[in-house]
């Protein structure tokens, strides 16, 4: 009976409000984040600041439960397409049943990659090969992913993204960022050192026992990783359209680290092709 009621609630939640059920939304962000508005604002940011077009082929890296896919399903036309992957099977299944059934050009895949949240998988983040052919996509998004990936995995994900982007294709990604000036300005308040107490040189973590829980990167390290992946950053670093401190409700004390959440827009130049990008999924 409980499962029947849950299934009925899931159908009603999407049919009436256009939202996944609350229990699934909780996997990808705090439930006090407005799922609908953050997805809409992110799409508007892509169009206005990163050149997204209705005919583009879009890759959503760690797509969650459709926060971006839902508004994109109303924006992309018949020439456009969407592919998303995620480590949580329940989220992928929901997206397939609610979105792909209505929009066949929207596809979702389960990523069998080992993370803090999927420890039993065999392939590590720094060896995972995106299951797509070279130069397939015009646009890619990685929302709040590099905030949970250590340097080896971050470098690999940037290289994989560069591989699957066409020349001129763009990547929008969010990072938790600090630099020397940030550290100087926050010495009195200790926000960086307080939020990420454990210093590893080019990055800091909140918890050394569970480093993937929250990772902040030094700005220079981010720039180096993008350059090594053959991606050109389109200046400047910008406030993120959805994962930002302005969305924290006044009655909430958590989430202060979002003051350091920035959005990096980058492009794969027409004349850049690293030999290491040649690996393709089999």
């Amino acid at each position: 009976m409980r499962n029947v009621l849950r299934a009925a609630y899931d159908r009603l939640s999407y049919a009436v409000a256009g939202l996944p059920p609350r229990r699934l939304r909780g996997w990808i962000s705090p439930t006090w984040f407005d799922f609908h508005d953050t997805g809409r604002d992110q799409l508007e940011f892509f169009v206005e600041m990163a050149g997204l077009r209705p005919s583009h082929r879009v890759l959503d890296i760690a797509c969650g439960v459709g926060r971006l896919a839902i508004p994109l399903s109303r924006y992309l036309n018949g020439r456009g397409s969407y592919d998303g992957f995620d480590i949580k099977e329940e989220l992928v299944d929901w997206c397939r049943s609610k979105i792909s059934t209505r929009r066949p050009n929207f596809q979702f895949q389960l990523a069998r990659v080992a993370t803090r949240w999927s420890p039993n998988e065999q392939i590590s983040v720094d060896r995972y090969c995106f299951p797509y052919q070279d130069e397939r996509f015009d646009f890619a998004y990685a929302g709040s992913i590099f905030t949970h990936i250590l340097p080896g995995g971050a470098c690999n994900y940037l290289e994989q993204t560069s591989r699957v982007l066409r020349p001129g294709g763009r990547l929008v990604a969010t990072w938790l960022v600090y630099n020397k000036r940030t550290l100087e300005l926050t010495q009195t308040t200790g926000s960086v050192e307080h939020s990420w107490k454990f210093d590893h040189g080019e990055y800091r973590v909140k918890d050394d026992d569970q480093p993937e829980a929250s990772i902040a990167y030094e700005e220079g390290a981010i720039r180096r990783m993008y350059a090594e992946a053959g991606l050109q950053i389109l200046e400047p670093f910008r406030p993120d359209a959805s994962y930002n401190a302005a969305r924290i409700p006044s009655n909430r004390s958590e989430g202060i680290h979002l003051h350091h959440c920035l959005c990096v827009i980058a492009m794969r130049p027409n004349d850049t092709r690293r030999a290491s990008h040649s690996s393709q999924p089999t």
Side-chain angles (χ1 to χ4, degrees):
M1 183 64 179
R2 186 174 182 179
N3 289 337
V4 172
L5 290 174
R6 171 177 283 185
Y9 171 75
D10 288 358
R11 290 194 297 271
L12 187 64
S13 177
Y14 188 60
V16 174
L19 294 174
R22 185 181 178 90
R23 62 186 172 80
L24 297 184
R25 281 180 276 147
W27 274 110
I28 65 166
S29 63
T31 51
W32 46 261
F33 258 31
D34 189 302
F35 185 92
H36 176 269
D37 285 352
T38 55
R40 178 205 62 200
D41 291 351
Q42 196 71 70
L43 174 57
E44 291 179 357
F45 178 87
F46 293 164
V47 173
E48 295 175 9
M49 303 300 296
L52 179 66
R53 298 291 177 262
S55 60
H56 276 173
R57 297 162 295 172
V58 176
L59 172 63
D60 193 356
I61 301 166
C63 60
V65 70
R67 186 173 66 94
L68 179 60
I70 291 172
L72 273 176
S73 69
R74 297 186 288 269
Y75 176 77
L76 296 181
N77 61 29
R79 294 174 55 199
S81 65
Y82 170 100
D83 284 89
F85 66 84
D86 200 274
I87 62 172
K88 297 297 295 182
E89 188 168 9
E90 188 176 17
L91 307 186
V92 171
D93 287 345
W94 187 91
C95 289
R96 286 172 173 169
S97 66
K98 297 297 187 294
I99 302 174
S100 295
T101 52
R102 301 184 181 191
R103 291 293 303 270
N105 57 337
F106 277 61
Q107 297 296 314
F108 300 86
Q109 293 196 46
L110 179 65
R112 297 197 174 279
V113 55
T115 72
R116 173 194 176 199
W117 299 273
S118 52
N120 296 324
E121 299 295 345
Q122 300 301 310
I123 301 176
S124 64
V125 178
D126 56 358
R127 293 191 300 110
Y128 182 66
C129 182
F130 290 4
Y132 310 103
Q133 297 298 312
D134 289 2
E135 302 182 5
R136 174 170 174 175
F137 299 101
D138 303 289
F139 194 95
Y141 175 56
S144 194
I145 301 308
F146 293 109
T147 57
H148 302 289
I149 300 180
L150 292 167
C155 288
N156 178 52
Y157 269 42
L158 287 173
E159 290 187 352
Q160 286 294 314
T161 303
S162 183
R163 175 180 68 78
V164 301
L165 279 177
R166 66 166 179 80
R170 298 191 176 187
L171 164 66
V172 177
T174 56
W175 297 75
L176 293 167
V177 184
Y178 68 92
N179 54 31
K180 181 179 179 181
R181 183 60 174 159
T182 307
L183 295 173
E184 292 173 351
L185 290 173
T186 59
Q187 278 183 349
T188 55
T189 60
S191 67
V192 173
E193 290 88 346
H194 176 74
S195 294
W196 300 281
K197 296 179 180 179
F198 301 94
D199 186 1
H200 292 270
E202 292 189 328
Y203 68 98
R204 305 176 68 99
V205 301
K206 283 192 172 185
D207 186 346
D208 257 350
D209 293 328
Q210 300 183 65
E212 291 175 305
S214 181
I215 305 169
Y217 280 91
E218 195 273 326
E219 180 185 340
I222 295 173
R223 293 184 179 279
R224 173 184 55 77
M225 288 189 286
Y226 272 77
E228 290 177 353
L231 293 168
Q232 177 186 341
I233 292 175
L234 305 179
E235 304 291 350
F237 287 18
R238 296 168 170 83
D240 184 61
S242 57
Y243 288 103
N244 63 65
R247 292 192 179 276
I248 304 173
S250 58
N251 63 343
R252 296 281 182 169
S253 59
E254 75 269 29
I256 195 67
H257 66 281
L258 294 178
H259 285 289
H260 298 277
C261 188
L262 296 178
C263 181
V264 179
I265 302 175
M267 178 180 70
R268 180 185 153 189
N270 292 328
D271 58 350
T272 299
R273 182 70 173 171
R274 283 169 49 89
S276 61
H277 293 171
S278 61
S279 60
Q280 298 185 38
T282 57

